[in-house]
Amino acid sequence: MNFDFATRIDRRQHATKKWLQYDEDVLPLWVADMDFRSPPAIISALESRVAHGVFGYGDVSATLKQTLCDWSRDHYDWQIEKAWQLWVPGVVPALNLAAMAFSEPGQGVLTATPIYPPFLSVARNTGREAQTFALADPVASGEPWRLDLEALEAAIQPNTRVLLWCHPHNPTGRVWNAEEMKGLAELAVRHDLIVISDELHCDLILDPSVSHRPLGQLCPELKDRLITLWAPSKTFNIAGLSSACAIIADDDLRQRFQSAAAGLLPSVNVLGLSASQAAYAECEEWRQALLGELRDNLALVEAHVSRWPGVAMTAPEATYLAWLDLRHSALAESPQQRLLEEARVALSDGADFGWPGFVRLNFGMPRSWLEEALMRLDRLLAEPA
């Protein structure tokens, strides 16, 4: 089947965060949702559900739970159980809820930077102590982004209770390898940490030489201290339908998480449940076509970045996000603002991720839009011919 990834869809006709944040002449390549239509099977499932006409309180069906078990088994060789699944209205609420469920006020919540900005607000939101450590900087190490296990251990304090982890990583696009994850697991066990593994981008592997292995599958020793967060939202472009799943193998952890959620989190909305079932059961062919499109878009981004003096990028192994280092460019002091004002392209500010001097570029969009945005950036960043 041929899928349409080329049509420009007018997203300004509805109230849309990505497209209404900035003036109409700005091309938005910032927030992490794509500008492609969702898969036809999802649209069909939603049309069918809407036609039913009754939208009362929903529940997670046994069919959906089994479908996610099948997806996990077939794609990741991870045998999860239906009983392990707690469906929630989003990964970000689940991060905050986990901090509340598995630590006390004043205890430490630790995460690596750079990182997706909501990670950095969890401690403040929940009255915990914010603790961070830095990933190994490619400029200093001469290697791709990697987990610095020594820095991680040095950051663990006597009051550290929760480690928020992102796997694959947003914003760098790293797919963490087994050695890094085994080291992380050893430290988590030794220091008695609860690990929250946000694996939201696991179905968006771009580099064919690497593969995602869920932390729960790779490190079974974490079973009694691990919460894995999955969702179809990024892969199938249904973030606004607010549907995600916390996979918790340990009965005690699952009960504590569920108790903390009572009265704070609503149930997943009925359209989100219908979309999730269609995504995991019927959309693999679309996902494979999407990956091909994203790989071509990434190649285009790499070609342009190679012409920008002082700008560096380690190619993401996963996600549709490019993490650009402008610390040694002419725009080093305020790159996001300069690019917005002078190129009229909106990117995410690296300062929000804990690393000023960087920007994050979302290349999940029709190629013609991406080409237009990159040409605008060329005029500001590329050397004159």
Side-chain angles (χ1 to χ4, degrees), residues 359-385:
V359 293
R360 191 188 71 177
L361 182 153
N362 175 354
F363 54 86
M365 62 189 340
R367 183 118 352 104
S368 63
W369 258 336
L370 180 61
E371 289 171 341
E372 182 179 341
L374 292 170
M375 286 189 291
R376 292 187 187 187
L377 296 175
D378 276 345
R379 290 194 287 269
L380 192 60
L381 294 171
E383 286 184 314

Short mmCIF file of all heavy atoms in Angstrom, two decimals, residues 359-385:
data_model
loop_
_atom_site.label_atom_id
_atom_site.label_comp_id
_atom_site.label_asym_id
_atom_site.label_seq_id
_atom_site.Cartn_x
_atom_site.Cartn_y
_atom_site.Cartn_z
N VAL A 359 19.97 23.37 19.85
CA VAL A 359 18.56 23.42 19.45
C VAL A 359 18.14 22.02 19.01
O VAL A 359 18.97 21.22 18.58
CB VAL A 359 18.31 24.43 18.30
CG1 VAL A 359 18.55 25.86 18.75
CG2 VAL A 359 19.13 24.08 17.06
N ARG A 360 16.85 21.74 19.14
CA ARG A 360 16.30 20.47 18.68
C ARG A 360 15.40 20.72 17.48
O ARG A 360 14.51 21.57 17.53
CB ARG A 360 15.51 19.77 19.80
CG ARG A 360 15.14 18.33 19.47
CD ARG A 360 14.19 17.76 20.51
NE ARG A 360 12.85 18.35 20.38
CZ ARG A 360 11.79 18.00 21.12
NH1 ARG A 360 11.94 17.07 22.05
NH2 ARG A 360 10.63 18.58 20.95
N LEU A 361 15.63 19.98 16.41
CA LEU A 361 14.91 20.15 15.16
C LEU A 361 14.06 18.91 14.88
O LEU A 361 14.58 17.79 14.86
CB LEU A 361 15.90 20.40 14.03
CG LEU A 361 15.38 20.65 12.62
CD1 LEU A 361 16.39 21.50 11.83
CD2 LEU A 361 15.10 19.36 11.84
N ASN A 362 12.77 19.10 14.68
CA ASN A 362 11.84 18.02 14.37
C ASN A 362 11.74 17.89 12.86
O ASN A 362 11.26 18.79 12.18
CB ASN A 362 10.47 18.36 14.99
CG ASN A 362 9.38 17.36 14.61
OD1 ASN A 362 9.59 16.46 13.81
ND2 ASN A 362 8.20 17.53 15.19
N PHE A 363 12.21 16.76 12.30
CA PHE A 363 12.15 16.57 10.85
C PHE A 363 11.03 15.62 10.43
O PHE A 363 11.02 15.08 9.31
CB PHE A 363 13.50 16.09 10.29
CG PHE A 363 14.09 14.85 10.93
CD1 PHE A 363 13.74 13.59 10.49
CD2 PHE A 363 15.02 14.97 11.97
CE1 PHE A 363 14.30 12.45 11.05
CE2 PHE A 363 15.58 13.84 12.54
CZ PHE A 363 15.22 12.57 12.09
N GLY A 364 10.03 15.42 11.32
CA GLY A 364 8.88 14.59 10.99
C GLY A 364 7.81 15.39 10.26
O GLY A 364 6.77 15.72 10.83
N MET A 365 8.05 15.69 8.98
CA MET A 365 7.14 16.54 8.22
C MET A 365 7.33 16.26 6.73
O MET A 365 8.34 15.70 6.31
CB MET A 365 7.41 18.01 8.53
CG MET A 365 8.78 18.47 8.17
SD MET A 365 9.24 20.14 8.76
CE MET A 365 7.70 20.93 9.11
N PRO A 366 6.35 16.66 5.90
CA PRO A 366 6.51 16.50 4.46
C PRO A 366 7.80 17.12 3.97
O PRO A 366 8.23 18.19 4.43
CB PRO A 366 5.28 17.22 3.89
CG PRO A 366 4.25 17.07 4.95
CD PRO A 366 5.01 17.18 6.24
N ARG A 367 8.47 16.44 3.03
CA ARG A 367 9.80 16.86 2.61
C ARG A 367 9.83 18.29 2.10
O ARG A 367 10.80 19.01 2.31
CB ARG A 367 10.32 15.89 1.53
CG ARG A 367 11.72 16.17 1.08
CD ARG A 367 12.72 15.05 1.33
NE ARG A 367 12.24 13.96 2.12
CZ ARG A 367 11.90 12.77 1.59
NH1 ARG A 367 11.99 12.57 0.30
NH2 ARG A 367 11.50 11.80 2.37
N SER A 368 8.78 18.71 1.42
CA SER A 368 8.80 20.07 0.86
C SER A 368 8.86 21.12 1.95
O SER A 368 9.53 22.15 1.81
CB SER A 368 7.57 20.30 -0.03
OG SER A 368 6.37 20.20 0.72
N TRP A 369 8.19 20.88 3.07
CA TRP A 369 8.26 21.80 4.21
C TRP A 369 9.66 21.78 4.82
O TRP A 369 10.23 22.82 5.16
CB TRP A 369 7.23 21.42 5.26
CG TRP A 369 6.00 22.28 5.26
CD1 TRP A 369 5.88 23.55 4.81
CD2 TRP A 369 4.72 21.88 5.76
NE1 TRP A 369 4.58 23.98 4.99
CE2 TRP A 369 3.85 22.98 5.56
CE3 TRP A 369 4.21 20.72 6.33
CZ2 TRP A 369 2.52 22.96 5.94
CZ3 TRP A 369 2.88 20.68 6.71
CH2 TRP A 369 2.04 21.80 6.51
N LEU A 370 10.21 20.57 4.98
CA LEU A 370 11.54 20.45 5.57
C LEU A 370 12.58 21.14 4.69
O LEU A 370 13.46 21.85 5.20
CB LEU A 370 11.89 18.97 5.76
CG LEU A 370 13.26 18.68 6.37
CD1 LEU A 370 13.37 19.27 7.77
CD2 LEU A 370 13.52 17.17 6.40
N GLU A 371 12.48 20.95 3.38
CA GLU A 371 13.41 21.61 2.47
C GLU A 371 13.33 23.12 2.59
O GLU A 371 14.35 23.81 2.61
CB GLU A 371 13.12 21.18 1.03
CG GLU A 371 13.51 19.74 0.73
CD GLU A 371 13.01 19.27 -0.63
OE1 GLU A 371 12.08 19.92 -1.17
OE2 GLU A 371 13.54 18.27 -1.14
N GLU A 372 12.11 23.64 2.70
CA GLU A 372 11.93 25.08 2.84
C GLU A 372 12.56 25.58 4.13
O GLU A 372 13.25 26.61 4.14
CB GLU A 372 10.44 25.42 2.81
CG GLU A 372 10.15 26.91 2.89
CD GLU A 372 8.66 27.22 2.84
OE1 GLU A 372 7.88 26.35 2.40
OE2 GLU A 372 8.29 28.34 3.26
N ALA A 373 12.35 24.85 5.23
CA ALA A 373 12.93 25.26 6.51
C ALA A 373 14.45 25.23 6.46
O ALA A 373 15.13 26.15 6.95
CB ALA A 373 12.41 24.36 7.62
N LEU A 374 15.01 24.17 5.87
CA LEU A 374 16.47 24.04 5.82
C LEU A 374 17.09 25.12 4.93
O LEU A 374 18.19 25.62 5.21
CB LEU A 374 16.85 22.65 5.34
CG LEU A 374 16.52 21.51 6.33
CD1 LEU A 374 16.71 20.16 5.66
CD2 LEU A 374 17.34 21.61 7.60
N MET A 375 16.42 25.49 3.85
CA MET A 375 16.93 26.57 3.02
C MET A 375 16.91 27.91 3.76
O MET A 375 17.82 28.72 3.61
CB MET A 375 16.14 26.65 1.72
CG MET A 375 16.48 25.52 0.74
SD MET A 375 15.75 25.74 -0.90
CE MET A 375 14.01 25.48 -0.55
N ARG A 376 15.90 28.12 4.58
CA ARG A 376 15.89 29.33 5.41
C ARG A 376 17.07 29.32 6.38
O ARG A 376 17.73 30.35 6.58
CB ARG A 376 14.58 29.41 6.20
CG ARG A 376 13.34 29.67 5.38
CD ARG A 376 12.15 29.88 6.30
NE ARG A 376 10.90 29.97 5.58
CZ ARG A 376 9.72 30.29 6.14
NH1 ARG A 376 9.67 30.55 7.46
NH2 ARG A 376 8.62 30.35 5.44
N LEU A 377 17.34 28.16 6.97
CA LEU A 377 18.47 28.06 7.89
C LEU A 377 19.78 28.23 7.14
O LEU A 377 20.75 28.80 7.69
CB LEU A 377 18.42 26.71 8.63
CG LEU A 377 17.21 26.50 9.54
CD1 LEU A 377 17.21 25.09 10.11
CD2 LEU A 377 17.18 27.53 10.67
N ASP A 378 19.86 27.72 5.91
CA ASP A 378 21.06 27.90 5.10
C ASP A 378 21.45 29.36 4.98
O ASP A 378 22.62 29.73 5.07
CB ASP A 378 20.84 27.35 3.68
CG ASP A 378 21.09 25.86 3.57
OD1 ASP A 378 21.69 25.29 4.49
OD2 ASP A 378 20.69 25.27 2.54
N ARG A 379 20.45 30.21 4.76
CA ARG A 379 20.74 31.62 4.54
C ARG A 379 21.39 32.26 5.75
O ARG A 379 22.12 33.26 5.63
CB ARG A 379 19.45 32.36 4.16
CG ARG A 379 18.94 31.99 2.77
CD ARG A 379 17.87 32.95 2.28
NE ARG A 379 16.60 32.77 2.96
CZ ARG A 379 15.64 31.95 2.52
NH1 ARG A 379 15.82 31.22 1.42
NH2 ARG A 379 14.50 31.86 3.17
N LEU A 380 21.18 31.69 6.91
CA LEU A 380 21.76 32.24 8.13
C LEU A 380 23.02 31.51 8.57
O LEU A 380 23.94 32.10 9.13
CB LEU A 380 20.71 32.21 9.26
CG LEU A 380 21.02 32.98 10.53
CD1 LEU A 380 21.20 34.46 10.23
CD2 LEU A 380 19.88 32.79 11.54
N LEU A 381 23.07 30.20 8.29
CA LEU A 381 24.13 29.37 8.86
C LEU A 381 25.20 28.94 7.86
O LEU A 381 26.33 28.66 8.26
CB LEU A 381 23.51 28.11 9.48
CG LEU A 381 22.61 28.31 10.70
CD1 LEU A 381 21.92 27.00 11.06
CD2 LEU A 381 23.41 28.82 11.89
N ALA A 382 24.84 28.84 6.58
CA ALA A 382 25.79 28.30 5.60
C ALA A 382 26.80 29.37 5.17
O ALA A 382 26.51 30.58 5.19
CB ALA A 382 25.06 27.76 4.38
N GLU A 383 27.98 28.90 4.79
CA GLU A 383 28.99 29.81 4.26
C GLU A 383 28.56 30.30 2.89
O GLU A 383 28.01 29.53 2.10
CB GLU A 383 30.34 29.10 4.15
CG GLU A 383 31.03 28.89 5.48
CD GLU A 383 32.40 28.28 5.28
OE1 GLU A 383 32.53 27.33 4.50
OE2 GLU A 383 33.34 28.77 5.93
N PRO A 384 28.83 31.55 2.54
CA PRO A 384 28.51 32.04 1.20
C PRO A 384 29.25 31.21 0.14
O PRO A 384 30.39 30.80 0.35
CB PRO A 384 29.00 33.49 1.22
CG PRO A 384 29.08 33.84 2.68
CD PRO A 384 29.42 32.58 3.39
N ALA A 385 28.57 30.97 -0.97
CA ALA A 385 29.20 30.19 -2.05
C ALA A 385 30.36 30.95 -2.66
O ALA A 385 30.35 32.18 -2.72
CB ALA A 385 28.15 29.88 -3.11
#
